[in-house]
Short mmCIF file of all heavy atoms in Angstrom, two decimals:
data_model
loop_
_atom_site.label_atom_id
_atom_site.label_comp_id
_atom_site.label_asym_id
_atom_site.label_seq_id
_atom_site.Cartn_x
_atom_site.Cartn_y
_atom_site.Cartn_z
N VAL I 227 143.38 96.13 111.30
CA VAL I 227 143.54 95.12 112.34
C VAL I 227 142.17 94.58 112.78
O VAL I 227 142.04 93.39 113.11
CB VAL I 227 144.36 95.65 113.54
CG1 VAL I 227 143.61 96.71 114.33
CG2 VAL I 227 144.77 94.50 114.44
N GLU I 228 141.16 95.40 112.74
CA GLU I 228 139.81 94.90 113.01
C GLU I 228 139.41 93.87 111.96
O GLU I 228 138.89 92.80 112.28
CB GLU I 228 138.80 96.04 113.02
CG GLU I 228 137.37 95.59 113.26
CD GLU I 228 136.36 96.71 113.12
OE1 GLU I 228 136.39 97.64 113.96
OE2 GLU I 228 135.54 96.67 112.18
N SER I 229 139.67 94.17 110.71
CA SER I 229 139.35 93.24 109.62
C SER I 229 140.07 91.91 109.81
O SER I 229 139.48 90.83 109.69
CB SER I 229 139.73 93.87 108.28
OG SER I 229 139.60 92.94 107.23
N LEU I 230 141.35 91.96 110.15
CA LEU I 230 142.14 90.73 110.30
C LEU I 230 141.64 89.89 111.47
O LEU I 230 141.49 88.67 111.36
CB LEU I 230 143.62 91.09 110.48
CG LEU I 230 144.60 89.93 110.67
CD1 LEU I 230 144.52 88.93 109.52
CD2 LEU I 230 146.02 90.46 110.83
N THR I 231 141.38 90.52 112.60
CA THR I 231 140.98 89.76 113.78
C THR I 231 139.55 89.24 113.67
O THR I 231 139.24 88.16 114.19
CB THR I 231 141.12 90.59 115.06
OG1 THR I 231 140.35 91.79 114.94
CG2 THR I 231 142.58 90.96 115.32
N VAL I 232 138.68 89.97 112.98
CA VAL I 232 137.28 89.55 112.86
C VAL I 232 137.11 88.54 111.73
O VAL I 232 136.44 87.51 111.89
CB VAL I 232 136.36 90.76 112.64
CG1 VAL I 232 134.94 90.32 112.31
CG2 VAL I 232 136.36 91.66 113.88
N GLU I 233 137.71 88.82 110.58
CA GLU I 233 137.47 88.01 109.39
C GLU I 233 138.38 86.78 109.28
O GLU I 233 138.06 85.83 108.58
CB GLU I 233 137.63 88.88 108.14
CG GLU I 233 136.62 90.02 108.08
CD GLU I 233 137.04 91.13 107.12
OE1 GLU I 233 137.75 90.83 106.15
OE2 GLU I 233 136.65 92.29 107.36
N VAL I 234 139.50 86.81 110.00
CA VAL I 234 140.43 85.67 109.99
C VAL I 234 140.60 85.10 111.39
O VAL I 234 140.41 83.93 111.62
CB VAL I 234 141.80 86.07 109.41
CG1 VAL I 234 142.74 84.85 109.39
CG2 VAL I 234 141.65 86.65 108.00
N GLY I 235 140.99 85.93 112.33
CA GLY I 235 141.19 85.47 113.70
C GLY I 235 142.48 84.72 113.87
O GLY I 235 143.49 85.02 113.22
N PRO I 236 142.52 83.71 114.77
CA PRO I 236 143.76 82.96 115.01
C PRO I 236 144.28 82.34 113.72
O PRO I 236 143.52 81.83 112.92
CB PRO I 236 143.33 81.88 116.01
CG PRO I 236 142.05 82.36 116.60
CD PRO I 236 141.39 83.19 115.55
N ARG I 237 145.60 82.37 113.53
CA ARG I 237 146.19 81.93 112.25
C ARG I 237 147.55 81.30 112.50
O ARG I 237 148.60 81.85 112.11
CB ARG I 237 146.26 83.12 111.27
CG ARG I 237 146.75 84.39 111.93
CD ARG I 237 146.38 85.66 111.19
NE ARG I 237 146.97 86.80 111.87
CZ ARG I 237 146.41 87.44 112.91
NH1 ARG I 237 145.24 87.05 113.38
NH2 ARG I 237 147.03 88.46 113.48
N LEU I 238 147.52 80.18 113.15
CA LEU I 238 148.74 79.44 113.44
C LEU I 238 149.38 78.97 112.15
O LEU I 238 148.70 78.46 111.26
CB LEU I 238 148.41 78.24 114.34
CG LEU I 238 149.59 77.41 114.85
CD1 LEU I 238 150.48 78.23 115.77
CD2 LEU I 238 149.08 76.17 115.57
N ALA I 239 150.67 79.15 112.03
CA ALA I 239 151.39 78.76 110.82
C ALA I 239 151.11 77.30 110.48
O ALA I 239 151.15 76.42 111.34
CB ALA I 239 152.89 78.96 111.01
N GLY I 240 150.78 77.05 109.21
CA GLY I 240 150.52 75.70 108.75
C GLY I 240 149.08 75.24 108.92
O GLY I 240 148.71 74.17 108.43
N SER I 241 148.25 76.05 109.56
CA SER I 241 146.84 75.70 109.76
C SER I 241 146.00 76.17 108.58
O SER I 241 146.46 76.94 107.72
CB SER I 241 146.30 76.35 111.03
OG SER I 241 146.22 77.77 110.88
N ALA I 242 144.75 75.73 108.55
CA ALA I 242 143.85 76.18 107.49
C ALA I 242 143.66 77.70 107.56
O ALA I 242 143.60 78.37 106.52
CB ALA I 242 142.50 75.46 107.62
N GLN I 243 143.58 78.26 108.76
CA GLN I 243 143.38 79.70 108.90
C GLN I 243 144.60 80.49 108.46
O GLN I 243 144.48 81.67 108.09
CB GLN I 243 143.02 80.05 110.34
CG GLN I 243 141.59 79.72 110.72
CD GLN I 243 140.57 80.39 109.81
OE1 GLN I 243 139.94 79.73 108.97
NE2 GLN I 243 140.39 81.69 109.95
N ASP I 244 145.75 79.88 108.48
CA ASP I 244 146.95 80.54 107.98
C ASP I 244 146.78 80.89 106.50
O ASP I 244 147.11 82.00 106.06
CB ASP I 244 148.15 79.63 108.19
CG ASP I 244 149.48 80.25 107.77
OD1 ASP I 244 149.60 81.48 107.82
OD2 ASP I 244 150.38 79.49 107.38
N LEU I 245 146.25 79.97 105.72
CA LEU I 245 146.03 80.24 104.30
C LEU I 245 144.90 81.23 104.08
O LEU I 245 144.92 82.00 103.11
CB LEU I 245 145.76 78.93 103.57
CG LEU I 245 146.93 77.95 103.53
CD1 LEU I 245 146.56 76.70 102.74
CD2 LEU I 245 148.19 78.59 102.95
N VAL I 246 143.91 81.23 104.97
CA VAL I 246 142.86 82.26 104.91
C VAL I 246 143.50 83.64 105.12
O VAL I 246 143.15 84.61 104.43
CB VAL I 246 141.77 82.00 105.97
CG1 VAL I 246 140.78 83.16 106.03
CG2 VAL I 246 141.04 80.70 105.67
N ALA I 247 144.44 83.71 106.05
CA ALA I 247 145.13 84.98 106.30
C ALA I 247 145.95 85.42 105.10
O ALA I 247 146.01 86.62 104.77
CB ALA I 247 146.03 84.84 107.53
N VAL I 248 146.60 84.49 104.43
CA VAL I 248 147.38 84.82 103.23
C VAL I 248 146.48 85.43 102.16
O VAL I 248 146.81 86.47 101.57
CB VAL I 248 148.10 83.57 102.69
CG1 VAL I 248 148.67 83.81 101.30
CG2 VAL I 248 149.22 83.14 103.65
N LYS I 249 145.33 84.81 101.92
CA LYS I 249 144.38 85.34 100.93
C LYS I 249 143.87 86.71 101.37
O LYS I 249 143.75 87.64 100.55
CB LYS I 249 143.21 84.36 100.78
CG LYS I 249 142.14 84.81 99.78
CD LYS I 249 142.67 84.91 98.36
CE LYS I 249 141.57 84.98 97.32
NZ LYS I 249 140.64 86.09 97.50
N TRP I 250 143.57 86.84 102.66
CA TRP I 250 143.12 88.14 103.19
C TRP I 250 144.18 89.21 102.92
O TRP I 250 143.84 90.33 102.50
CB TRP I 250 142.87 88.01 104.69
CG TRP I 250 142.58 89.31 105.38
CD1 TRP I 250 141.36 89.88 105.59
CD2 TRP I 250 143.55 90.23 105.92
NE1 TRP I 250 141.51 91.09 106.22
CE2 TRP I 250 142.83 91.33 106.44
CE3 TRP I 250 144.94 90.23 106.02
CZ2 TRP I 250 143.47 92.41 107.06
CZ3 TRP I 250 145.57 91.31 106.63
CH2 TRP I 250 144.83 92.38 107.15
N ALA I 251 145.45 88.88 103.17
CA ALA I 251 146.52 89.86 103.00
C ALA I 251 146.67 90.26 101.53
O ALA I 251 146.85 91.46 101.22
CB ALA I 251 147.83 89.29 103.53
N GLU I 252 146.63 89.30 100.63
CA GLU I 252 146.71 89.63 99.20
C GLU I 252 145.59 90.56 98.79
O GLU I 252 145.81 91.58 98.11
CB GLU I 252 146.63 88.35 98.37
CG GLU I 252 147.84 87.46 98.41
CD GLU I 252 147.65 86.25 97.53
OE1 GLU I 252 146.92 85.31 97.92
OE2 GLU I 252 148.20 86.26 96.41
N ASP I 253 144.37 90.23 99.21
CA ASP I 253 143.21 91.05 98.85
C ASP I 253 143.33 92.45 99.45
O ASP I 253 143.00 93.45 98.79
CB ASP I 253 141.92 90.39 99.33
CG ASP I 253 141.58 89.13 98.57
OD1 ASP I 253 142.18 88.90 97.49
OD2 ASP I 253 140.72 88.36 99.05
N LYS I 254 143.80 92.53 100.70
CA LYS I 254 143.89 93.83 101.36
C LYS I 254 144.93 94.72 100.67
O LYS I 254 144.67 95.91 100.41
CB LYS I 254 144.25 93.63 102.83
CG LYS I 254 144.20 94.89 103.67
CD LYS I 254 142.79 95.46 103.76
CE LYS I 254 141.84 94.56 104.54
NZ LYS I 254 140.50 95.17 104.69
N LEU I 255 146.09 94.17 100.37
CA LEU I 255 147.13 94.96 99.71
C LEU I 255 146.68 95.42 98.32
O LEU I 255 146.93 96.56 97.91
CB LEU I 255 148.43 94.16 99.62
CG LEU I 255 149.12 93.85 100.95
CD1 LEU I 255 150.30 92.92 100.72
CD2 LEU I 255 149.58 95.12 101.65
N ASN I 256 146.00 94.54 97.60
CA ASN I 256 145.49 94.93 96.28
C ASN I 256 144.45 96.03 96.39
O ASN I 256 144.43 96.96 95.57
CB ASN I 256 144.90 93.71 95.56
CG ASN I 256 145.96 92.87 94.86
OD1 ASN I 256 146.80 93.40 94.13
ND2 ASN I 256 145.94 91.57 95.09
N SER I 257 143.60 95.95 97.40
CA SER I 257 142.54 96.95 97.54
C SER I 257 143.07 98.31 97.95
O SER I 257 142.40 99.33 97.75
CB SER I 257 141.51 96.47 98.58
OG SER I 257 142.02 96.56 99.90
N LEU I 258 144.29 98.33 98.50
CA LEU I 258 144.85 99.58 99.01
C LEU I 258 145.82 100.24 98.04
O LEU I 258 146.52 101.18 98.40
CB LEU I 258 145.54 99.32 100.34
CG LEU I 258 144.58 99.01 101.51
CD1 LEU I 258 145.35 98.58 102.74
CD2 LEU I 258 143.70 100.22 101.82
N GLY I 259 145.86 99.77 96.80
CA GLY I 259 146.56 100.50 95.76
C GLY I 259 148.04 100.27 95.65
O GLY I 259 148.76 101.10 95.06
N PHE I 260 148.55 99.18 96.19
CA PHE I 260 149.97 98.88 96.00
C PHE I 260 150.23 98.59 94.52
O PHE I 260 149.40 97.99 93.83
CB PHE I 260 150.39 97.70 96.88
CG PHE I 260 150.56 98.06 98.33
CD1 PHE I 260 149.46 98.16 99.17
CD2 PHE I 260 151.81 98.33 98.84
CE1 PHE I 260 149.60 98.51 100.50
CE2 PHE I 260 151.98 98.69 100.18
CZ PHE I 260 150.87 98.78 101.00
N ASP I 261 151.39 98.98 94.05
CA ASP I 261 151.72 98.82 92.63
C ASP I 261 151.91 97.35 92.26
O ASP I 261 151.64 96.95 91.13
CB ASP I 261 153.00 99.59 92.29
CG ASP I 261 152.84 101.09 92.50
OD1 ASP I 261 151.75 101.61 92.22
OD2 ASP I 261 153.81 101.72 92.96
N LYS I 262 152.39 96.56 93.20
CA LYS I 262 152.68 95.16 92.94
C LYS I 262 152.41 94.36 94.21
O LYS I 262 152.86 94.75 95.29
CB LYS I 262 154.15 95.00 92.52
CG LYS I 262 154.57 93.59 92.13
CD LYS I 262 156.05 93.58 91.71
CE LYS I 262 156.52 92.19 91.31
NZ LYS I 262 157.96 92.18 90.98
N VAL I 263 151.65 93.28 94.08
CA VAL I 263 151.34 92.41 95.21
C VAL I 263 151.64 90.97 94.78
O VAL I 263 151.20 90.52 93.73
CB VAL I 263 149.87 92.54 95.64
CG1 VAL I 263 149.54 91.55 96.76
CG2 VAL I 263 149.55 93.97 96.07
N TYR I 264 152.40 90.26 95.61
CA TYR I 264 152.74 88.88 95.27
C TYR I 264 153.05 88.11 96.55
O TYR I 264 153.14 88.69 97.65
CB TYR I 264 153.93 88.82 94.31
CG TYR I 264 155.19 89.54 94.77
CD1 TYR I 264 156.28 88.85 95.28
CD2 TYR I 264 155.29 90.93 94.67
CE1 TYR I 264 157.43 89.50 95.67
CE2 TYR I 264 156.44 91.60 95.06
CZ TYR I 264 157.50 90.88 95.57
OH TYR I 264 158.64 91.54 95.97
N LYS I 265 153.17 86.80 96.43
CA LYS I 265 153.49 85.98 97.59
C LYS I 265 154.61 85.02 97.23
O LYS I 265 154.80 84.67 96.06
CB LYS I 265 152.26 85.21 98.07
CG LYS I 265 151.68 84.23 97.06
CD LYS I 265 150.38 83.62 97.58
CE LYS I 265 149.82 82.60 96.58
NZ LYS I 265 148.53 82.04 97.03
N GLU I 266 155.36 84.63 98.26
CA GLU I 266 156.48 83.71 98.08
C GLU I 266 156.32 82.54 99.03
O GLU I 266 156.07 82.72 100.23
CB GLU I 266 157.81 84.43 98.34
CG GLU I 266 158.05 85.57 97.37
CD GLU I 266 159.32 86.35 97.65
OE1 GLU I 266 159.84 86.27 98.78
OE2 GLU I 266 159.80 87.04 96.74
N PRO I 267 156.46 81.29 98.54
CA PRO I 267 156.21 80.11 99.38
C PRO I 267 157.24 79.94 100.48
O PRO I 267 158.43 80.24 100.30
CB PRO I 267 156.24 78.96 98.38
CG PRO I 267 157.08 79.46 97.25
CD PRO I 267 156.83 80.93 97.16
N VAL I 268 156.76 79.45 101.61
CA VAL I 268 157.61 79.19 102.77
C VAL I 268 157.20 77.83 103.34
O VAL I 268 156.02 77.60 103.63
CB VAL I 268 157.43 80.27 103.85
CG1 VAL I 268 158.29 79.96 105.08
CG2 VAL I 268 157.75 81.66 103.30
N LYS I 269 158.15 76.93 103.50
CA LYS I 269 157.88 75.62 104.10
C LYS I 269 157.84 75.77 105.62
O LYS I 269 158.81 76.26 106.22
CB LYS I 269 158.95 74.61 103.68
CG LYS I 269 158.72 73.20 104.18
CD LYS I 269 159.84 72.27 103.72
CE LYS I 269 159.64 70.85 104.22
NZ LYS I 269 160.76 69.96 103.79
#
């Protein structure tokens, strides 16, 4: 949570920071050894 609040911060849906958060989440899950990491689009 420190990483998310410091490296991303506010992340209102549909904003530029929202996509920064998505990339942060993918990287974090991959770094923590999950067997499969993926994303699904949401309008």
